[in-house]
Amino acid sequence: MGYAFKAIEGKWKLPVMYVLSERGAARYNEIKRELGITNMMLTNTLRDLEEYGLVNRTQYNEVPPRVEYSLTPNGYAIIPALKEFEKWGQLLLDTKK
């Protein structure tokens, strides 16, 4: 369980994974624009997620160069749990009122 938490710890990992789950694949600037994250934080977050095998980085040999990020099957595996977590958060909000 500790390894799983380590893989998704931090402020930006889950939001980046959510964006990629919604879009399927996204370019760096698309993710940056959607989240309002700094270049350094996004670069570090994507590298970490790639190291844990949760995100794929695909570079296309075109002019100009194009790079897209997408979730791996292991990255997609956490999405149902996140949706349940979302329901739980809504429950907390509803009972707070």
Side-chain angles (χ1 to χ4, degrees):
M1 189 148 195
Y3 187 77
F5 283 139
K6 182 102 172 120
I8 60 169
E9 76 179 348
K11 179 179 180 179
W12 295 107
K13 287 182 182 176
L14 292 176
V16 167
M17 292 178 71
Y18 177 77
V19 168
L20 294 176
S21 74
E22 291 293 306
R23 290 180 173 255
R27 296 175 77 170
Y28 183 92
N29 282 329
E30 293 171 338
I31 301 168
K32 184 178 185 242
R33 228 181 348 263
E34 184 144 343
L35 296 176
I37 185 173
T38 65
N39 283 329
M40 180 182 285
M41 287 306 301
L42 181 54
T43 298
N44 291 340
T45 299
L46 288 168
R47 281 187 187 148
D48 286 350
L49 290 170
E50 194 175 3
E51 283 181 30
Y52 279 102
L54 302 174
V55 167
N56 280 324
R57 180 184 186 275
T58 306
Q59 184 169 342
Y60 297 92
N61 293 326
E62 300 173 349
V63 177
R66 176 172 57 111
V67 176
E68 287 185 345
Y69 296 90
S70 60
L71 291 179
T72 64
N74 284 344
Y76 274 111
I78 195 172
I79 300 303
L82 293 179
K83 294 209 182 280
E84 290 300 315
F85 197 67
E86 178 184 24
K87 288 180 193 174
W88 180 68
Q90 189 61 52
L91 177 68
L92 290 177
L93 283 172
D94 292 346
T95 58
K96 189 177 179 178
K97 295 177 182 177

